Amino acid sequence: MPSRLLLFFLIFWGNLTNIYAQKYELGKVTVEELEEKIHPIDSAAPAAILFKVGKTVFNYNEKTGFSATHTYEFKIKIYKKEGLKWADQKVKYYVGYQNINEDMLSFSNAVTYNLVNGKIEKTKLENQGAFKRKINEYWNEKTITLPNVKEGSIIEYKYTLKSENIVQFPDFDFQFSIPLNYFEYITKFPEYYIYKTLLIGTHKIESDAKIVTGSQNFANEYGQSRTMSYKQIDALYSAKNIPALKEEPYVNNIENYRGSIKHELERVRMPEQPVKDFTLTWEGVSSTIFKDDRFGKEINKSSFLLEDVKKILSNVTSQEERMKIIFQFVQNKMNWNEKYGYFTDKGVEKAYKDQTGNIAEINFILLNLLKLAGVEANPVLVSTIENGIPVYPTRTGFNYVIVAAKMDEKEVLLDASRKYTSPDILPLNILNWKGRLIKSDGTSKEIDLVPSKSSKENASITFKITENGKIDGRIRIQRTDYEAYKFRVQNGSGNQESYLEKLEGQLGDLKISDYSITNKISNIADPIVETFSFETENFIESIGGKFYISPMLFYTPSKNPFVQENRQMGIYFGYPTQEKLLVNLEIPEGYVIETLPKSVRLALEDNSISLSLKVLNEGNKIQFSFSKDINNSIFAAENYNALKTVFQKMIASQNEKIVLKKA
């Protein structure tokens, strides 16, 4: 290895804390461990990982060169009934390679320990059997079920993954839904391979590395034994007391926050060979995808669409109208087969004939029609929320493709695969940071997926209170953009009777009449408007001849969604929103106001969230208005306490009552 590379590693690791691997071995179970009833730090934990030990080493074969072997050992304590599910262990492994052999995965050392009459009873998994199933063309999965697992048990197992893929290793996760007491991860990399190491999560990890001599014994093409020696970088990562990663409200993808260590190959320096650079850029990734026949060729197939585009665009000259007509045509004609991807499976021509296709096929048909109509349009690579936010350039960072149509100087984003999308209204799981727009010359650029415009839900309520405390009122609700899209996805295919029955229950067992709705499943680019009359005896308490009224009625929040003391993950709202409620209330005859809620305005320092409540009174009329503006789609965990406080104060104000007394 060149001296400057050695210096890089020595400097890099010299700034980290030196630690020494402790002895964490399978088969070393004590009576004290089995007697432990609750986790010493997290008493609510149903189980805990006592340790996870991993190792990645290289092997050499004369025919295939270097490959990697990853081994993982687990020791898990079961505390409660809810922890019994940890007896089932599933591991996915990749089989979708085109040029190398598929990964090989095997389980071993699977044992359950129980305390029986003060003695340790050991139950082995017979034959170390694992069940294999095919997930899709790229992934298989193996499963084992540990035997005789009960509350108090300790289970152990090991699995080994052998892979010829040395470009990108499996992530080493060290945070789970239960606490992890200790982990260590050892890597032994030959000097020929330079890896980029990335730490995901906020946990402090201790690390150490050193340069040692490594070697490989192998048989050459004549069956003779040979030894290869080289410099090797041995690294050790470890940490203690990693807390459970728990579900929190308003999280896009919990996997984005899971503590893990990632390695990706940057450079290969084999003896007497040119240096091979594996450092990818997003430009490089996009170019590679574009050159694939299932992408580049398919976005230039349009002859079979000529007759249809002439029919649907007869006498239409406006670029925007052409875009809308083509979008609706594809949306109505094509049916999504529920397969993601940015490559076609059967090709756009056959998908068009079948009227069914995957995401790429449907949106490439849209793209080709737009280009035939003279609309400038390009594909946009996207990672869905479930696929995560790619932290470095890689082809697997994308799993979806949409279309960007240029209208004047603005890119309008389109996805015709779903029935309730519209121009610039995408499926919610596509609103994931940034996409990559690829132009016909192979160049690319970043493009924002999260909208800057607020989606609105505005409601106005007018109601009267009768002398016996009954409410008669009427409400109008208007939803725009993503608020309308969400409503259509949830309610578009249902019948009105069942919807109203559900709505009456959701709004507090009131009675709805004179219901009407516009643009529920038609004119889907327009707002949805609901109107209905209602009557209820809820939301008013009669105590000592006084009426205590919740002025926001069924919009009164019951509790703060943010109740955790601390927050590990960012707060994700999906898209900017504006919520407004205007209430006009008529006081019953013979009553006067004793108390009104106070007007209040609350906001974060940068006004990224603002909430206001206003109360006005004139004669026998009370007007109550509430507004909430969330101007960002996501907030960092550091903003959690401020956000929690703002919501808590506003909820307290929203729950203040109007008090009426007899005149």
Side-chain angles (χ1 to χ4, degrees), residues 213-409:
T213 299
S215 64
Q216 295 282 338
N217 296 318
F218 63 95
N220 66 13
E221 58 184 316
Y222 305 107
Q224 298 169 319
S225 179
R226 292 288 182 265
T227 299
M228 177 193 304
S229 296
Y230 46 79
K231 294 295 182 183
Q232 179 174 290
I233 301 139
D234 286 3
L236 170 65
Y237 310 85
S238 75
K240 294 181 178 179
N241 300 326
I242 304 296
L245 186 65
K246 296 180 179 179
E247 293 284 350
E248 297 175 338
Y250 296 100
V251 173
N252 50 359
N253 181 0
I254 196 170
E255 295 302 320
N256 292 337
Y257 302 93
R258 187 179 302 281
S260 66
I261 297 167
K262 299 174 182 285
H263 285 101
E264 188 177 55
L265 185 63
E266 286 191 314
R267 195 168 294 111
V268 176
R269 296 174 175 269
M270 298 300 291
E272 301 176 1
Q273 292 183 21
V275 173
K276 191 172 183 181
D277 199 344
F278 280 79
T279 303
L280 294 175
T281 63
W282 285 121
E283 281 279 352
V285 169
S286 303
S287 177
T288 301
I289 292 171
F290 184 83
K291 290 174 184 175
D292 193 292
D293 287 349
R294 295 168 296 168
F295 192 102
K297 280 190 176 180
E298 296 292 326
I299 61 174
N300 288 296
K301 288 184 177 179
S302 57
S303 58
F304 67 97
L305 298 168
L306 277 169
E307 290 303 313
D308 281 342
V309 80
K310 289 177 183 176
K311 289 178 188 175
I312 63 176
L313 294 181
S314 177
N315 299 320
V316 180
T317 57
S318 161
Q319 288 279 87
E320 187 172 354
E321 280 304 307
R322 287 182 165 222
M323 176 194 72
K324 289 178 179 178
I325 290 169
I326 288 171
F327 178 84
Q328 289 173 5
F329 173 77
V330 176
Q331 189 178 47
N332 292 332
K333 180 182 179 68
M334 298 301 297
N335 296 286
W336 178 42
N337 62 12
E338 299 192 0
K339 289 185 178 180
Y340 287 172
Y342 48 72
F343 288 145
T344 59
D345 286 336
K346 55 187 173 183
V348 292
E349 192 165 1
K350 186 158 192 326
Y352 192 73
K353 181 181 178 182
D354 296 343
Q355 298 187 34
T356 302
N358 68 7
I359 291 296
E361 286 155 352
I362 291 173
N363 285 327
F364 287 173
I365 289 167
L366 171 65
L367 176 67
N368 291 335
L369 281 167
L370 288 169
K371 290 194 293 185
L372 278 175
V375 176
E376 183 181 342
N378 295 290
V380 179
L381 295 168
V382 174
S383 173
T384 63
I385 286 174
E386 313 88 71
N387 195 53
I389 296 174
V391 292
Y392 46 76
T394 170
R395 283 174 59 173
T396 58
F398 299 120
N399 68 329
Y400 202 101
V401 62
I402 60 174
V403 176
K406 192 148 192 181
M407 293 288 116
D408 297 324
E409 296 304 311

Side-chain angles (χ1 to χ4, degrees), residues 7 36 90 98 115 132 168 171 190 242 244-245 283 338 348 362 388 433 455-456 463 468 471 530 534 548 598 635 642:
L7 182 61
E36 191 172 74
K90 299 178 181 180
Q98 294 180 346
L115 195 61
K132 183 173 83 171
Q168 187 174 342
D171 297 345
I242 304 296
L245 186 65
E283 281 279 352
E338 299 192 0
V348 292
I362 291 173
W433 195 40
S455 296
K456 299 176 181 179
F463 71 90
N468 58 1
I471 291 176
E530 286 184 286
F534 63 92
Y548 294 79
K598 295 181 178 64
F635 294 79

